[in-house]
Amino acid sequence: MVLHWNTDFCTNCFIWLELPHSYSVISQHLLLEFLNRDDIQLSFSDLPFYNPAWKRVRGLFPPADEAALLNLKPSTIPPEGILRIAYPFVLQRPAESSAKVVVYGTTEWTVCQANDAFPSPAGISGRAQWEATDVTILTASEYSRGGFLRCGVPRERVTVIPNGVDLQIFQPAGTEARATFRKRQEWEGRFVFLNVGAMTTNKGVVDLIRAFLGIQQRHPRALLFLKGGDHLYPSLQLLVEACANQGIDLGALLQSGNVEYAADPLAFRQMAELYRAADVYVTPYRAEGFNMPVLEAAACGLAVICTRGGPTDEFTAPSFALHVNATLEPVGNPQDTTPGGRKQWLRPDLLHLQEQMEFVMTDEGETFLEKARQAGPAFIKSTHSWTVIADRIAQLFIGNAGQDSGDVKPDVTMNGSEVYGFWGQQGGNESIPEKGLSRQTASHAEL
């Protein structure tokens, strides 16, 4: 079985290495798993990022894993299979290639967007391009699968395999280690709600802040910690503007010490420390294709509060997750249509969100949190290790595909991760420092 993580027939292509982006994280974990298999010949060529301003980040992975990724070499062996994990999507099989092609992607808005796919070389566009695709689309949730189906992708061409988590890193910690981290962060005596993400509108962070403000008035020990994705996006700026539109002065909240914000990229082990030190992970998201932080938090033993009706329904359970009622509704200009119709998102019930956040601060809620510390890791360990996920993806190429009803059973081996397009060279390199979390405390004017 030959697996190349890039292909020699792709003239302009990219895949993202050393980047704290979900697609890059998924790619790199799969690479590491495939390196451990003796039925795969693996090669990789690192290519320019989607955004030329993005910079590489060294130190995300443990040193041995990072070295293994950087030591991968290109191959001249013709690929027998291609696994593309990048954006935008390429929906066509390479010319004059018989390789099995699997394209990873997600739909957050219940439909595919117009710019989700590169233009077809044959000039096919819109819904016809999705209907005519001859590749297999791999997505991480049934919720996301629905978006591809609404855009016309034949059902037999869409398969669902969830994302995984590194259980060697994201695992519960002992009481002493947790206490040490909380002391370093000056969280002693505080009840910490945690949220991690890009702070874009679809993440629902403004809803979270609005709910938290009511909680904090009644429970002064409550603290909201936000970990942004500022290495990739203007996360803090986006959040400041979104809050201002709702009459919320984020700068004042940061100055108060009741809301904290961290912008720097963190190694996976540092992220695990953050999850383990918090009391609850909260994500009242509006549009997601999967939501990996929920998986990571649960693996660390952290209870979760998340939107009901989205992709997280598929990998959470009442033993460690509280769900927030939400309504699916159209979003955006009614005139702005996509190949699958109008975009939609979930609108969480703000009062119910607040009730769930208040519950976990009660004595009964504390009992729930204690049970979640065992229930979450046990649930995630059984089905979501990267070893299990990588094996299911490999089976797409060597036969006996997974158990999903829409899985495709191919008859060839596989290749790797590439996509057409060239957006300029990467913006340089950075390394993650060996230090504690740095917190944003600037005033609103400074922000």
Side-chain angles (χ1 to χ4, degrees):
M1 177 173 172
V2 179
L3 172 61
H4 306 301
W5 213 249
N6 180 48
T7 55
D8 54 10
F9 52 75
C10 181
T11 56
N12 293 322
C13 51
F14 61 79
I15 182 62
W16 307 328
L17 187 67
E18 298 180 295
L19 196 67
H21 184 285
S22 60
Y23 278 29
S24 176
V25 170
I26 292 165
S27 297
Q28 292 174 91
H29 277 295
L30 290 175
L31 284 168
L32 290 169
E33 292 296 334
F34 291 141
L35 279 171
N36 292 326
R37 299 178 63 116
D38 57 12
D39 57 347
I40 294 174
Q41 296 181 36
L42 184 64
S43 68
F44 174 81
S45 296
D46 192 21
L47 298 165
F49 296 149
Y50 171 78
N51 185 333
W54 287 351
K55 296 181 180 180
R56 298 175 183 272
V57 179
R58 290 282 175 91
L60 292 173
F61 285 84
D65 288 345
E66 188 172 82
L69 290 168
L70 295 176
N71 285 334
L72 284 169
K73 306 297 182 184
S75 173
T76 59
I77 303 173
E80 297 177 76
I82 302 168
L83 175 60
R84 298 173 178 154
I85 307 181
Y87 182 88
F89 315 135
V90 177
L91 301 178
Q92 297 77 37
R93 181 184 303 280
E96 301 180 359
S97 173
S98 61
K100 178 68 183 181
V101 179
V102 175
V103 175
Y104 177 90
T106 53
T107 62
E108 300 177 344
W109 305 90
T110 73
V111 291
C112 306
Q113 300 187 79
N115 59 350
D116 278 350
F118 274 104
S120 164
I124 303 173
S125 62
R127 186 179 181 88
Q129 183 180 10
W130 295 94
E131 293 175 336
T133 183
D134 60 353
V135 305
T136 294
I137 292 179
L138 169 64
T139 194
S141 66
E142 291 289 346
Y143 188 85
S144 177
R145 172 193 253 170
F148 289 111
L149 298 182
R150 291 183 191 93
C151 290
V153 179
R155 177 172 292 275
E156 66 274 12
R157 290 210 169 272
V158 187
T159 189
V160 176
I161 298 178
N163 294 326
V165 63
D166 187 339
L167 297 176
Q168 299 300 312
I169 294 176
F170 295 96
Q171 58 178 283
T175 303
E176 184 176 344
R178 183 172 185 269
T180 299
F181 186 92
R182 286 176 67 90
K183 183 177 182 179
R184 187 165 70 239
Q185 291 301 118
E186 299 179 359
W187 287 355
E188 293 172 300
R190 304 301 297 264
F191 187 97
V192 182
F193 294 96
L194 172 67
N195 177 271
V196 177
M199 306 296 151
T200 46
T201 305
N202 62 300
K203 304 297 183 180
V205 183
V206 175
D207 291 332
L208 172 56
I209 293 174
R210 290 173 63 195
F212 174 77
L213 290 176
I215 296 293
Q216 217 282 324
Q217 288 180 352
R218 296 186 292 276
H219 302 277
R221 69 189 181 102
L223 183 149
L224 176 61
F225 191 93
L226 304 172
K227 170 64 183 76
D230 299 75
H231 189 78
L232 300 177
Y233 310 103
S235 295
L236 184 56
Q237 178 185 343
L238 291 172
L239 187 57
V240 168
E241 294 172 354
C243 284
N245 290 337
Q246 296 291 320
I248 299 171
D249 186 343
L250 181 62
L253 292 177
L254 293 172
Q255 288 282 11
S256 74
N258 294 321
V259 176
E260 297 181 354
Y261 186 96
D264 295 337
L266 299 177
F268 297 136
R269 62 174 178 79
Q270 293 173 313
M271 283 301 306
E273 286 184 333
L274 184 59
Y275 288 126
R276 291 191 287 258
D279 292 286
V280 179
Y281 186 80
V282 191
T283 171
Y285 63 88
R286 296 192 174 196
E288 288 277 11
F290 187 76
N291 202 329
M292 287 183 69
V294 170
L295 192 68
E296 294 169 348
C300 290
L302 187 60
V304 172
I305 299 175
C306 58
T307 304
R308 188 192 306 278
T312 52
D313 285 4
E314 301 171 33
F315 59 92
T316 57
S319 57
F320 63 89
L322 299 174
H323 297 95
V324 178
N325 294 335
T327 304
L328 186 66
E329 60 182 31
V331 61
N333 190 327
Q335 306 303 317
D336 295 337
T337 59
T338 73
R342 192 172 172 188
K343 295 197 300 184
Q344 301 178 92
W345 67 6
L346 293 158
R347 183 180 292 276
D349 183 319
L350 190 62
L351 179 59
H352 193 219
L353 169 61
Q354 205 168 64
E355 290 173 350
Q356 299 288 48
M357 292 174 69
E358 189 137 31
F359 167 76
V360 295
M361 298 191 71
T362 65
D363 291 341
E364 185 180 357
E366 180 59 33
T367 300
F368 171 76
L369 299 185
E370 285 295 332
K371 292 180 178 178
R373 290 190 178 99
Q374 280 72 48
F379 182 93
I380 300 303
K381 182 179 181 179
S382 63
T383 55
H384 286 82
S385 73
W386 274 119
T387 300
V388 170
I389 299 307
D391 184 65
R392 292 185 64 188
I393 291 175
Q395 293 303 313
L396 290 176
F397 296 91
I398 60 178
N400 301 318
Q403 301 301 312
D404 300 310
S405 60
D407 282 355
V408 179
K409 295 180 173 57
D411 54 4
V412 294
T413 54
M414 72 161 133
N415 185 17
S417 198
E418 47 74 41
V419 73
Y420 296 89
F422 190 88
W423 295 77
Q425 296 297 321
Q426 289 91 328
N429 303 294
E430 292 184 0
S431 295
I432 295 174
E434 289 290 335
K435 63 179 181 179
L437 296 178
S438 59
R439 288 170 283 192
Q440 176 68 52
T441 58
S443 67
H444 181 79
E446 292 170 323
L447 294 174

